Amino acid sequence: MARRTGPFIRLRQWRRSSIAPAFARSARTASGNRLPGVLKWAGPASTLVSTPVLTGCSDWQSALHAHGANARAILDLIWSFGAVAAITWLLVMLALTMALFHHRRVRAAPPPLRTDNHQERRFGRAVGSAVASTVLVLAALTITSFFAGKSIASLSGKETLTVRITGHQWWWEIRYPNDDPSRTIVTANEIHLPVGEPVKVELDSTDVIHSFWVPSLAGKRDLIPGRPSELTLVADKPGTYRGQCAEFCGYQHAHMAITVVAESRKAFDAWRSRQDAVAVAPAGDEERRGQQAFLSTGCALCHAVRGTAASGTIGPDLTHLASRRALAADTLAMTPGALAAWIADPQSTKPGAKMPRIDLSADDLNAVATYLGSLE
Amino acid sequence: MKQRPVADVSHLPTYDFGAASPMWWGTLAFIALEATGFALGIGTYFYLAVLATHWPIGAPAPDLLPGTAILIILLASLIPNHLVELWARRQDLAKVRIGIVVMSIAGILPLIVRVWEFPALRITWDQNAYGSIVWFLLGLHTSHLLTDVGDTIVLAVLMFTQQGKAGRRFSDVSDNAFYWDFVVVSWVVLYLVIYWFPRM
Amino acid sequence: MSGTTGTAAGQEQDEGVKGVRDTGLEAARRRAYLAHAWQTPKGLYGWLVTVDHKLIGRRYIVTAFLFLVLAGLSALAMRFQLATPEAGHIGPDFYNQLFTMHGTTMMFLFAVPVMEAFAIYLVPLMIGTRNVAFPRLNAFSYWVYLSGGLMIWIAFAFDTGADAGWFSYVPLTGPEYGIGKRPDFWAQMVTYTEVSALAVAVEIIATVFKQRAPGMTLDRIPIYVWSILVTAFVILFAMPAVMVSSTMLILDRLVGTKFFDPAAGGDALLWQHLFWFFGHPEVYIIFIPAVGFVSAILPTFVRRPVFGYLGIVLSLIAIGFLSFGLWVHHMFATGLPQLGESFFTASSMMIAIPSGIQIFCWIATIWGGRPIFATPLLFVLGFIFTFVIGGLTGVMVASVPLDLQVHDTYFVVAHFHYVLIGGAVFPLLGAVYYWFPKITGRMLSERLGRWNFWLVFVGFNFTFFPMHILGLQGMPRRVYTYPPASGWGEINLFISISSLVVFIGFALFFLNILLSLRNGRIAGDNPWGASTLEWATTSPPPSYDFSRLPVVAHREPLWAEPDILPVVEGLRVDAREVLGSTVADAVPQLRVPSADNSIWPLLSALAVGGAFLGSIYTPWAVVWGAIPVSIGFICWFWPKGEPEDEE
Ligand code: HEA
Ligand code: HEA
Ligand code: CUA
Ligand SMILES: [Cu+2]
């Protein structure tokens, strides 16, 4: 699915974004400007409206489209709590309306202090039973919530794989630890996992608090400096799921997204071994020139490209940049145009981002873009 | 609206002591909120202590001498404090004048000792969280000492002026004594936390 | 405790009867004396020195509404930016300041102060006294509040507006990541407003405990006054938490303490615990007075006493207590131990019970009465309609797993606007319509009032209901923009348009006030035929509130005795004097002299404010500031040989 920010390539992206799934999306949200429509879309019906059109499923992040045990448990909770709330509210409104209108234009108001005890006692009983039922409902809700929590907690412990995520302003550093440290995979902003297998996600932050949240798969969990924590993810359908940092973390909190790609074990292992390899050597002159520029103009101070001299750790590892779906924590789609636009001037697309604007000649710029674009 | 007199209050006094006087309730309210402040400070202390692998962090337990000295001075000061309270209720101007001067001194002494107490913590505020919180607690208590001593001295001066003769001043004196009790009690608690918890 | 010796003492002093008393003094001369004793000098000087709770309450109210306008307009700016995906009107830097200033101002400079403001104005009138217990402290609190508000908004004007959210989490606000002086201004503004709130809480407690009209026993205190009393206690025990935490933040930033630095034994969550230990009660500090308004307005417009007085009072107290056991429900996503979380789920749900009891009692009250659909009642009904929605979504987010999906999304934004606006601002607007006649002597226009209500009511629900859906669709809060592919665009556009309706509604509200101030219908003492004491005096009330202090024999005094007010005699009229009574059963006990006008509260507030402001830049400001501050306070309390001192 396509998204971008840079004014640069707005038009092309706009066309891109009108492929099937996006179309289905805009169709369904078109009803958004009429409230009833909105309400309908909130209902379970929506799951139908937006059934994935491409292979697998690629919903935009939404708690209403659960594709993992954790998220599904919570979605059930949302519907049941929602139903109870709706009914409670209707009952209260019913009582209120009757209270207001049951005796309009009966004889004129009696003097304010004349209340009849019989009625007072009836009120007492009514309020009493209302409170009693409130207590019962609340007890029921608390218990439901508690067991939902347990079933989610029960996912942990069976993990077949560990992913380590470190939050940075404003991107995600991702590691697949390996007993042989040299073979630990380092990438950014895109997680791959085997469908159906519980995956342990270890969370930590080096700067401020962030929050890891992929609504279709699981509830959120904060990344707090000095307080590592973890979360278990299971995806039960192949597809790409979008996530986004949920804890305010400064300028680009809005552009700190993450993509989760769930795929078959086979595909996953293949991906993994590709990521394991060092970067491809420059194929042509253009790429070679790009690599030169990359290593000489300072990019390498922050970025690493395994297999070259570039070993910076401040920014994302770019060894397999071109294999990712998006750029700059899902700010731009991974397209040549976007890549060039980003390198040319990160600040205009992502104001405040820690990547400085580096002056490159037009040719060097294109060369670097081509080089990075070749890092499959 | 028409009015119908039903009671005559002309012979009620214009001031009284303890729970009868609004000022006493004001003082109590302030004590309550400041006590909450202390409680939260102490809560923070233990919260950090629980997080830390060993406590105190990177420092020996603080030196007992100055803190203990202050504890003794403050506890001793309770005696004159309650005498002043008593004399104030008896409205015995001469005695109150002596007492309040004594109390002013009893307030200044611990402030002087404090000067040695901060270094006796054997850590500075910016070394680590432990240093920060003990300095914070000590600072908080010092500010209470300062304000109450200031208060007492002003009252002392008042008691030697024409104003001192106004009956209401005695009520003020007794409220001031009430607040001093709080300053002393809060130190007993802080003393145990700052000096003895690290030794346990 | 020797009340007796004291009493004896008191009498020794006044051989015979001192001063001019109202006993047997005929009305005209009595009023002349009182007017002189309680007067506020004319002109600017008088405006600066006055300690009249009505003048101070009024300026508190006006100031708070000005801050509502500022914060509301910043909300509109945000809605402008969010109306369409990837709009370029407002960049992240400014947007972050906007939502922070909006939230901070609404919570600290509008919602809480406006509730205190009404209390300052109404409580003395409702309990039948002539001023609050510590009038100068009251004046002081206003000046401190005003300087805090001005400071943070002036800083904002100079692009130093707070920008890390109304709860300013560390490390984002810490020495390393905080931008410039922005977090410092935020933290100091908090200190100012807390100081003023605490001052008000203290004086309210003393006033309600010690200055109630003779006969106003605990079970005859108007529910509104109960709600304010409970609020005052919540303030007393909640606000110190944020003063402690904001002080620690300032220290971390200014002198390098390590409270929140994990590398040196500090902890980032410590901030969240301290802040929310205050922050959750904070929302009930806003809510409890609001339900007090409801319990005051409702009986008048259904022509019968509230059903279940005791139940409602106990619910208020219960909410006050429970509100201290809920703070962790703002921190579910930080991953605390499962068991602990379930406890906070349970306690959060429990608080639904006292809230429910009140809703049910009000409905019963309406059932037993004859509703008169005047604007104040409309707002009360609008309150029930919306608050119950907000409360129920509150119960939803109280569930840990559920909250993990909606936390920090627009679902929560929807929840708290339903409870804050539906639950607090609606009753507040109702209260303005209800007491405006008492405060100004003129009625607000009913016609404009209805337009005002329906526009705000409809606009509000259209603005905030769809936010629930946005949240469930995955839209996080505090984002300055979002991609078109998200499909959030249409709903956001709808929301932004609806917020204009709210704006127009509020515009009508202010218009109604401006018009009615000049040519509203003359109100008279008791235009609504209400039952509480504030309606027993003229509208607007004289500087001395009551020419003779009322005596109470019934929970609805003016309904029990519609045309004659029982009063006490024997108070001085040539000097400021109020009646002190016992805490439980309000038996007259003292004739308490009440402080006269003074410039020192203002000067002390300026000194204190200066010290706070300076301490943003250097710790020494506290040391040097101490000098003018103590001078200010000494002069404030130094007796000036007031007449009552001879007694
Ligand atoms: C006036 C302010 C106000 C009020 C009254 C409330 C009332 C409640 N709030 Fe709300 N809340 C806020 C203001 C308020 N809140 C704010 C400002 C925030 C966000 C802060 C931020 O993050 O910026 C917040 C956030 C917030 C959270 C954190 C969400 C998150 O960040 O993820 C939670 C979680 O438990 C919560 C719960 C509740 C509950 C259980 C109530 C209960 O008191 C509600 C009780 C009332 C009812 C339930 C309705 C009446 C009852 C009946 C009609 C009886 C029948 C009911 C049943 C059978 C259930 N609130
Ligand atoms: C009592 C509290 C209160 C009130 C009344 C409001 C009122 C409104 N709020 Fe507020 N809001 C908060 C408390 C409040 N809010 C808090 C605490 C936050 C969290 C902040 C944070 O995340 O840190 C928040 C956050 C918040 C957000 C989320 C921002 C984000 O997360 O990115 C949004 C977005 O739509 C929003 C919108 C609005 C709107 C449209 C109104 C409207 O109802 C406003 C209506 C009022 C007006 C429009 C002003 C009327 C003025 C006139 C009519 C002027 C005419 C006269 C003259 C010019 C003299 N608010
Ligand atoms: Cu990272 Cu928000
Ligand atoms: Cu809360």
Side-chain angles (χ1 to χ4, degrees), chain C residues 391-407:
Chain C
L392 291 164
T393 53
V395 168
M396 291 177 76
V397 287
S399 151
V400 177
L402 202 161
D403 184 55
L404 291 182
Q405 277 291 24
V406 298
H407 173 65

PDB file of all heavy atoms in Angstrom, chain C residues 391-407:
ATOM      1  N   GLY C 391     -19.051   8.814  30.987  1.00  0.00           N
ATOM      2  CA  GLY C 391     -18.791   7.926  32.111  1.00  0.00           C
ATOM      3  C   GLY C 391     -18.674   6.489  31.657  1.00  0.00           C
ATOM      4  O   GLY C 391     -17.791   5.749  32.087  1.00  0.00           O
ATOM      5  N   LEU C 392     -19.562   6.096  30.754  1.00  0.00           N
ATOM      6  CA  LEU C 392     -19.546   4.700  30.296  1.00  0.00           C
ATOM      7  C   LEU C 392     -18.294   4.415  29.479  1.00  0.00           C
ATOM      8  O   LEU C 392     -17.679   3.362  29.638  1.00  0.00           O
ATOM      9  CB  LEU C 392     -20.810   4.409  29.501  1.00  0.00           C
ATOM     10  CG  LEU C 392     -22.078   4.389  30.371  1.00  0.00           C
ATOM     11  CD1 LEU C 392     -23.327   4.477  29.528  1.00  0.00           C
ATOM     12  CD2 LEU C 392     -22.107   3.148  31.245  1.00  0.00           C
ATOM     13  N   THR C 393     -17.874   5.354  28.641  1.00  0.00           N
ATOM     14  CA  THR C 393     -16.601   5.108  27.943  1.00  0.00           C
ATOM     15  C   THR C 393     -15.469   5.071  28.968  1.00  0.00           C
ATOM     16  O   THR C 393     -14.494   4.354  28.789  1.00  0.00           O
ATOM     17  CB  THR C 393     -16.302   6.188  26.888  1.00  0.00           C
ATOM     18  OG1 THR C 393     -16.385   7.474  27.520  1.00  0.00           O
ATOM     19  CG2 THR C 393     -17.275   6.102  25.734  1.00  0.00           C
ATOM     20  N   GLY C 394     -15.646   5.815  30.056  1.00  0.00           N
ATOM     21  CA  GLY C 394     -14.649   5.741  31.134  1.00  0.00           C
ATOM     22  C   GLY C 394     -14.569   4.331  31.671  1.00  0.00           C
ATOM     23  O   GLY C 394     -13.483   3.777  31.854  1.00  0.00           O
ATOM     24  N   VAL C 395     -15.733   3.717  31.889  1.00  0.00           N
ATOM     25  CA  VAL C 395     -15.752   2.343  32.376  1.00  0.00           C
ATOM     26  C   VAL C 395     -15.088   1.414  31.354  1.00  0.00           C
ATOM     27  O   VAL C 395     -14.373   0.488  31.708  1.00  0.00           O
ATOM     28  CB  VAL C 395     -17.198   1.904  32.665  1.00  0.00           C
ATOM     29  CG1 VAL C 395     -17.278   0.405  32.894  1.00  0.00           C
ATOM     30  CG2 VAL C 395     -17.729   2.646  33.873  1.00  0.00           C
ATOM     31  N   MET C 396     -15.280   1.709  30.066  1.00  0.00           N
ATOM     32  CA  MET C 396     -14.634   0.873  29.041  1.00  0.00           C
ATOM     33  C   MET C 396     -13.110   0.963  29.175  1.00  0.00           C
ATOM     34  O   MET C 396     -12.424  -0.052  29.258  1.00  0.00           O
ATOM     35  CB  MET C 396     -15.060   1.313  27.643  1.00  0.00           C
ATOM     36  CG  MET C 396     -16.516   1.009  27.322  1.00  0.00           C
ATOM     37  SD  MET C 396     -17.001   1.605  25.700  1.00  0.00           S
ATOM     38  CE  MET C 396     -16.245   0.363  24.650  1.00  0.00           C
ATOM     39  N   VAL C 397     -12.580   2.192  29.229  1.00  0.00           N
ATOM     40  CA  VAL C 397     -11.114   2.320  29.279  1.00  0.00           C
ATOM     41  C   VAL C 397     -10.548   1.867  30.623  1.00  0.00           C
ATOM     42  O   VAL C 397      -9.351   1.673  30.751  1.00  0.00           O
ATOM     43  CB  VAL C 397     -10.652   3.759  28.974  1.00  0.00           C
ATOM     44  CG1 VAL C 397     -10.811   4.073  27.521  1.00  0.00           C
ATOM     45  CG2 VAL C 397     -11.371   4.749  29.842  1.00  0.00           C
ATOM     46  N   ALA C 398     -11.427   1.671  31.601  1.00  0.00           N
ATOM     47  CA  ALA C 398     -10.940   1.182  32.887  1.00  0.00           C
ATOM     48  C   ALA C 398     -10.511  -0.281  32.800  1.00  0.00           C
ATOM     49  O   ALA C 398      -9.811  -0.781  33.673  1.00  0.00           O
ATOM     50  CB  ALA C 398     -12.017   1.347  33.947  1.00  0.00           C
ATOM     51  N   SER C 399     -10.955  -0.968  31.745  1.00  0.00           N
ATOM     52  CA  SER C 399     -10.534  -2.355  31.541  1.00  0.00           C
ATOM     53  C   SER C 399      -9.129  -2.372  30.934  1.00  0.00           C
ATOM     54  O   SER C 399      -8.915  -1.827  29.853  1.00  0.00           O
ATOM     55  CB  SER C 399     -11.515  -3.057  30.613  1.00  0.00           C
ATOM     56  OG  SER C 399     -10.841  -4.077  29.900  1.00  0.00           O
ATOM     57  N   VAL C 400      -8.191  -3.027  31.625  1.00  0.00           N
ATOM     58  CA  VAL C 400      -6.799  -2.976  31.174  1.00  0.00           C
ATOM     59  C   VAL C 400      -6.643  -3.416  29.712  1.00  0.00           C
ATOM     60  O   VAL C 400      -6.145  -2.650  28.890  1.00  0.00           O
ATOM     61  CB  VAL C 400      -5.881  -3.810  32.080  1.00  0.00           C
ATOM     62  CG1 VAL C 400      -4.464  -3.807  31.551  1.00  0.00           C
ATOM     63  CG2 VAL C 400      -5.915  -3.267  33.498  1.00  0.00           C
ATOM     64  N   PRO C 401      -7.102  -4.614  29.345  1.00  0.00           N
ATOM     65  CA  PRO C 401      -6.855  -5.030  27.958  1.00  0.00           C
ATOM     66  C   PRO C 401      -7.494  -4.062  26.966  1.00  0.00           C
ATOM     67  O   PRO C 401      -6.851  -3.641  25.993  1.00  0.00           O
ATOM     68  CB  PRO C 401      -7.517  -6.398  27.867  1.00  0.00           C
ATOM     69  CG  PRO C 401      -7.756  -6.833  29.261  1.00  0.00           C
ATOM     70  CD  PRO C 401      -7.864  -5.602  30.092  1.00  0.00           C
ATOM     71  N   LEU C 402      -8.733  -3.659  27.249  1.00  0.00           N
ATOM     72  CA  LEU C 402      -9.414  -2.755  26.326  1.00  0.00           C
ATOM     73  C   LEU C 402      -8.624  -1.461  26.184  1.00  0.00           C
ATOM     74  O   LEU C 402      -8.390  -0.963  25.086  1.00  0.00           O
ATOM     75  CB  LEU C 402     -10.828  -2.487  26.842  1.00  0.00           C
ATOM     76  CG  LEU C 402     -11.860  -2.017  25.825  1.00  0.00           C
ATOM     77  CD1 LEU C 402     -13.264  -2.249  26.368  1.00  0.00           C
ATOM     78  CD2 LEU C 402     -11.681  -0.562  25.467  1.00  0.00           C
ATOM     79  N   ASP C 403      -8.157  -0.959  27.310  1.00  0.00           N
ATOM     80  CA  ASP C 403      -7.420   0.305  27.276  1.00  0.00           C
ATOM     81  C   ASP C 403      -6.147   0.185  26.449  1.00  0.00           C
ATOM     82  O   ASP C 403      -5.732   1.140  25.798  1.00  0.00           O
ATOM     83  CB  ASP C 403      -7.083   0.741  28.697  1.00  0.00           C
ATOM     84  CG  ASP C 403      -6.407   2.103  28.722  1.00  0.00           C
ATOM     85  OD1 ASP C 403      -6.989   3.054  28.167  1.00  0.00           O
ATOM     86  OD2 ASP C 403      -5.288   2.205  29.254  1.00  0.00           O
ATOM     87  N   LEU C 404      -5.553  -1.011  26.436  1.00  0.00           N
ATOM     88  CA  LEU C 404      -4.299  -1.153  25.688  1.00  0.00           C
ATOM     89  C   LEU C 404      -4.528  -0.894  24.200  1.00  0.00           C
ATOM     90  O   LEU C 404      -3.602  -0.516  23.484  1.00  0.00           O
ATOM     91  CB  LEU C 404      -3.714  -2.552  25.893  1.00  0.00           C
ATOM     92  CG  LEU C 404      -3.204  -2.796  27.315  1.00  0.00           C
ATOM     93  CD1 LEU C 404      -2.595  -4.177  27.441  1.00  0.00           C
ATOM     94  CD2 LEU C 404      -2.192  -1.733  27.715  1.00  0.00           C
ATOM     95  N   GLN C 405      -5.750  -1.074  23.700  1.00  0.00           N
ATOM     96  CA  GLN C 405      -6.006  -0.697  22.317  1.00  0.00           C
ATOM     97  C   GLN C 405      -6.312   0.799  22.180  1.00  0.00           C
ATOM     98  O   GLN C 405      -5.829   1.437  21.263  1.00  0.00           O
ATOM     99  CB  GLN C 405      -7.180  -1.507  21.733  1.00  0.00           C
ATOM    100  CG  GLN C 405      -6.789  -2.891  21.225  1.00  0.00           C
ATOM    101  CD  GLN C 405      -5.904  -2.864  19.977  1.00  0.00           C
ATOM    102  OE1 GLN C 405      -5.216  -1.906  19.692  1.00  0.00           O
ATOM    103  NE2 GLN C 405      -5.915  -3.978  19.258  1.00  0.00           N
ATOM    104  N   VAL C 406      -7.114   1.350  23.094  1.00  0.00           N
ATOM    105  CA  VAL C 406      -7.574   2.731  22.859  1.00  0.00           C
ATOM    106  C   VAL C 406      -6.728   3.791  23.572  1.00  0.00           C
ATOM    107  O   VAL C 406      -6.862   4.977  23.280  1.00  0.00           O
ATOM    108  CB  VAL C 406      -9.050   2.894  23.270  1.00  0.00           C
ATOM    109  CG1 VAL C 406      -9.926   1.985  22.440  1.00  0.00           C
ATOM    110  CG2 VAL C 406      -9.225   2.628  24.753  1.00  0.00           C
ATOM    111  N   HIS C 407      -5.857   3.374  24.487  1.00  0.00           N
ATOM    112  CA  HIS C 407      -5.027   4.351  25.190  1.00  0.00           C
ATOM    113  C   HIS C 407      -4.255   5.217  24.190  1.00  0.00           C
ATOM    114  O   HIS C 407      -3.789   4.720  23.175  1.00  0.00           O
ATOM    115  CB  HIS C 407      -4.038   3.628  26.103  1.00  0.00           C
ATOM    116  CG  HIS C 407      -3.034   4.531  26.739  1.00  0.00           C
ATOM    117  ND1 HIS C 407      -3.379   5.505  27.645  1.00  0.00           N
ATOM    118  CD2 HIS C 407      -1.696   4.624  26.587  1.00  0.00           C
ATOM    119  CE1 HIS C 407      -2.293   6.138  28.028  1.00  0.00           C
ATOM    120  NE2 HIS C 407      -1.254   5.641  27.394  1.00  0.00           N
TER     121      HIS C 407
END
